[in-house]
Amino acid sequence: MKPAEPFARFAYQRRANQARAKPASHPVVIIGAGPVGLTLAIDLKLRGIDCVLLDDQDRIGEGSRAICFAKRTLEIWDRLGCAAPMLDKGVRWNVGKVFQGEDLLYQFDLLAEPGHKMPAFINLQQYYAEKFLVDRAQALGVDLRWLNRVIGLQSGEQGARITVDTPDGTYSLDARFVIACDGARSPLRSMLGLEFMGEQFEDQFLIADVRMTADFPVERWFWFDPPFHGGQSCLLHKQPDDVWRIDLQLSPDADTEHEKRPEVVRPRIARMLGHGAFDLEWISVYRFQCRRLEHFVHGAVIFAGDAAHQVSPFGARGANSGVQDADNLGWKLAAALQGRAGLIESYDQERSQAADENILNSTRATDFIAPRHKAEARFRNAALALARRTEFGKRFVNSGRLSTPTTYTSSPLSTADGMPWPAGPPPGAPIPDGPTGAGYLSEKLRHGFTLLRWRSDSDAGGLDGLPFIDVQDSDRILIERFALTPGGAYLIRPDRHVAARFHHVTHAAVAAALSKASAASQA
C-alpha cells in the first residue's frame, strides 16, 4: 500500500516581520494547527485577539486519526461558526451495540431524550475537521503560518520568546503567552524538560480504515471475544465516503512492522467482514497511554490537548478533551490580557480535573478490554457472563465510556448553592441544551457570560450590560432540565459551564457571582 497523499497542502508564505531586527511581539502565539490549536485561534480571533498560529507541516491528511466528535465539541464548533460543514459531511450516530462472540449483549442510546441541536456524536475523519477549521480561521484572517517550526524557547512569568525555523531561515517572535498544542510528542514540552506522569499499556491495537460498500447500520459496534479475531476485541465505526474504521486488538508481543503489512491486514479484515471487497486506506498500530503533565501552566507557556495529556481512544476522549481545553482557555486568555491573570490558574485546576477524569475512564476501559492480570480477566469474564443473564450486569461491561464534558466540582470560579436544588446542573457543570422559542439554547449563547432566567413580576434580576436569555412558560423541556422556578436563574460562563444558580435572583447575588467567576480567582 503506497503512502496516502495529503488531503490538503498549504504554501509557505514569508511574513514581513520575519526580517525585523527586533522580534515582533504578539499577545498569543499558538504552536500546532491541529483541532485544538485551530479551535483556540478561532476563539481568540472572535474575541478580538490577534494571535499567530504556527505549524511545522504544510499539509492536512495522511490517515484519519481521530474520527468521533462528541456533542459538546460540536456545540463549541457551532459557537465558533464552523460546525455546519462538519454536520453536513459527518456520519451522525447515537446508538452503540456490544457483542460477545456473535451474540448481542446490549445496546445503548447516548441521546435518547429530545430537544438537542447536536447529535451525540458524528464520525468524521480528522482531516475533514481540520480543513473546515482552517477554512474558518482563514476567513476570519487568523495569521496561520505553515512550515514554521519552533526550534528554541525562552520563557518567563511575563512572556516568552520563540525561535522559528522556516524555508527562508530563522526568526524570533515575542509573546505574552505561548500555547503548546503541538501534540503527543510536543517539542515545547521537551524544551522545558517536562515529563508525563502515568502509564503505557502493553497491549497493541491495529487501526485500519477500509473503503467498502456495506449496509451495516450507522452505530458503534464493539465485540468481546469475536470468533473472527482469535477471541480478542474488535471495534467497527462508519465514516464518510464509505470508509469504515476497524480496531483489532493484538498481543503485547506482536511485531508492529509485520502487523502493519497489507498482506497481513487484509486476511484479518476479510475474516471479520466475510468478504474481500474492500480497499485499505490507512493502517497503524498503537500502544495506548494514559498520561499527563503535572501542571499545564508553566509561566507564559500553557499546554493543551495531547501536549498536556494522553488517553487511549476507547471513549473518544482524546481530541474531544483537547477541544474542551481550548474552550476553557480562550476566554481566560482574553481576560488575562486585560489584567485578570488569575483566571489562567483556574485553567490548570479545571482541565487537570478533566484530564484525571478522562485518564481514569480510559484506564478502566483499557483494563477491561485488555486485562493485564488474571484477576482482571476473571472480573471481565464474570461481568460479561452476568450481562448475558441480567440487566444490571450490563452496567459492569466497559467497552469505553464515551466522552462527556467534566463537571468542575471544586472550581474556584463557582459560587456554591445557597439552598438545595432538586435537580438541574450544579455550579461547575456543563449546561444541557434545550429548545427555546424558535431555536435552541446552545445557539443563543455567544462568547461571554449570560444570565438564563425565568422572570417573575416581582424581580427581573440581571445586571446592566450582562446579556440574558428569558425562559418562557412554554419552554417546558428547558425549565425541567434546569429545574427552574419563576424568579430563578443561572449564571452561565463563556465556556457554557454553570458559574452560579439562584432560586430567587437579585442584582447583588448576580454581581457577586460574576465577580468571583471573572476575577476573584486572583485572591
Side-chain angles (χ1 to χ4, degrees):
M1 186 176 68
K2 66 179 182 180
E5 292 295 321
F7 177 74
R9 177 169 266 135
F10 305 93
Y12 164 78
Q13 293 182 325
R14 180 180 174 84
R15 298 301 194 273
N17 62 19
Q18 291 178 216
R20 289 178 49 164
K22 182 179 180 181
S25 183
H26 300 272
V28 179
V29 174
I30 302 169
I31 315 301
V36 181
L38 285 162
T39 298
L40 182 58
I42 294 167
D43 192 6
L44 291 174
K45 188 68 174 180
L46 290 171
R47 297 182 191 281
I49 298 170
D50 289 323
C51 64
V52 176
L53 176 55
L54 308 178
D55 196 274
D56 61 0
Q57 299 294 314
D58 66 346
R59 66 190 63 195
I60 290 172
E62 301 165 325
S64 62
R65 295 170 290 162
I67 64 166
C68 297
F69 296 105
K71 177 177 181 289
R72 184 66 171 186
T73 297
L74 297 173
E75 290 171 349
I76 293 167
W77 285 339
D78 194 37
R79 174 176 65 83
L80 300 180
C82 45
M86 299 182 187
L87 291 166
D88 289 343
K89 185 66 178 178
V91 175
R92 303 180 185 216
W93 66 276
N94 297 329
V95 173
K97 291 179 178 175
V98 179
F99 301 85
Q100 186 179 22
E102 297 179 339
D103 299 329
L104 176 65
L105 277 183
Y106 68 95
Q107 69 178 52
F108 55 86
D109 189 335
L110 295 170
L111 200 63
E113 62 183 16
H116 294 267
K117 182 178 182 181
M118 296 297 167
F121 278 89
I122 64 168
N123 286 352
L124 181 71
Q125 293 93 327
Q126 184 172 323
Y127 49 73
Y128 278 122
E130 289 182 356
K131 182 59 167 61
F132 295 139
L133 289 165
V134 168
D135 290 345
R136 178 61 170 156
Q138 291 178 330
L140 292 171
V142 170
D143 187 353
L144 177 50
R145 306 184 185 185
W146 304 98
L147 291 177
N148 276 243
R149 182 169 62 94
V150 177
I151 59 172
L153 171 66
Q154 296 173 285
S155 176
E157 291 298 323
Q158 300 305 313
R161 174 170 293 180
I162 59 173
T163 303
V164 185
D165 186 45
T166 76
D168 285 330
T170 63
Y171 71 101
S172 295
L173 286 175
D174 288 343
R176 174 63 188 90
F177 293 103
V178 172
I179 316 301
C181 305
D182 51 346
R185 297 181 179 89
S186 170
L188 266 71
R189 196 175 62 232
S190 299
M191 290 175 193
L192 291 180
L194 302 175
E195 299 288 342
F196 271 142
M197 309 179 300
E199 61 180 318
Q200 175 172 294
F201 293 86
E202 293 303 315
D203 282 87
Q204 301 182 91
F205 290 80
L206 173 75
I207 296 181
D209 285 348
V210 303
R211 187 182 297 273
M212 64 179 180
T213 301
D215 58 359
F216 301 130
V218 181
E219 299 168 346
R220 177 188 191 263
W221 284 6
F222 188 97
W223 285 265
F224 291 101
D225 307 323
F228 50 77
H229 184 51
Q232 295 174 306
S233 65
C234 177
L235 178 67
L236 177 70
H237 261 302
K238 184 177 183 180
Q239 305 174 65
D241 305 330
D242 289 326
V243 175
W244 297 75
R245 165 65 56 83
I246 297 173
D247 292 40
L248 296 171
Q249 183 183 357
L250 303 175
S251 63
D253 57 355
D255 182 287
T256 300
E257 294 306 314
H258 173 77
E259 298 294 345
K260 290 193 297 185
R261 291 166 59 184
E263 61 268 29
V264 175
V265 174
R266 283 197 66 89
R268 281 189 167 147
I269 303 295
R271 283 196 299 272
M272 174 186 176
L273 300 174
H275 64 79
F278 60 86
D279 295 318
L280 293 172
E281 294 278 308
W282 180 63
I283 303 170
S284 188
V285 173
Y286 286 104
R287 289 187 192 272
F288 299 130
Q289 303 176 15
C290 289
R291 309 189 299 171
R292 54 162 287 198
L293 289 173
E294 183 178 5
H295 297 289
F296 300 163
V297 177
H298 295 264
V301 182
I302 303 172
F303 291 84
D306 285 351
H309 45 74
Q310 296 172 264
V311 293
S312 72
F314 301 118
R317 294 174 178 271
N320 288 296
S321 64
V323 171
Q324 290 163 37
D325 288 347
D327 187 44
N328 186 286
L329 182 56
W331 67 278
K332 295 175 180 180
L333 282 172
L337 292 167
Q338 297 170 356
R340 300 195 297 276
L343 282 172
I344 297 298
E345 292 305 318
S346 74
Y347 166 77
D348 193 29
Q349 292 170 285
E350 292 180 343
R351 295 312 297 168
S352 288
Q353 181 193 335
D356 288 340
E357 181 179 297
N358 285 318
I359 287 171
L360 176 63
N361 279 284
S362 291
T363 300
R364 286 175 173 172
T366 306
D367 285 343
F368 194 93
I369 293 166
R372 291 175 286 177
H373 308 292
K374 290 182 178 179
E376 290 176 348
R378 284 196 295 269
F379 171 79
R380 197 276 296 269
N381 293 337
L384 291 172
L386 190 63
R388 283 177 170 272
R389 302 192 305 271
T390 68
E391 282 300 312
F392 80 88
K394 295 175 173 54
R395 296 197 301 268
F396 296 105
V397 177
N398 190 343
S399 64
R401 307 290 187 221
L402 287 151
S403 174
T404 54
T406 297
T407 295
Y408 304 130
T409 54
S410 56
S411 172
L413 309 186
S414 296
T415 296
D417 291 334
M419 297 171 57
W421 281 69
I431 63 162
D433 199 9
T436 174
Y440 294 89
L441 176 62
S442 63
E443 61 192 8
K444 296 185 177 182
L445 295 165
R446 301 315 302 160
H447 307 303
F449 284 89
T450 304
L451 192 69
L452 177 71
R453 62 188 187 181
W454 189 4
R455 296 183 63 173
S456 66
D457 294 337
S458 61
D459 195 344
L463 280 176
D464 292 339
L466 177 66
F468 60 86
I469 296 172
D470 281 336
V471 175
Q472 306 300 316
D473 292 351
S474 58
D475 296 332
R476 299 314 306 179
I477 291 177
L478 206 61
I479 288 167
E480 291 175 7
R481 287 179 185 164
F482 283 86
L484 278 170
T485 54
Y490 279 74
L491 179 63
I492 301 172
R493 298 173 9 170
D495 58 0
R496 303 182 180 191
H497 285 250
V498 176
R501 56 183 178 174
F502 317 93
H503 285 292
H504 302 286
V505 66
T506 65
H507 286 249
V510 173
L514 183 62
S515 176
K516 183 174 185 181
S518 62
S521 59
Q522 296 183 89

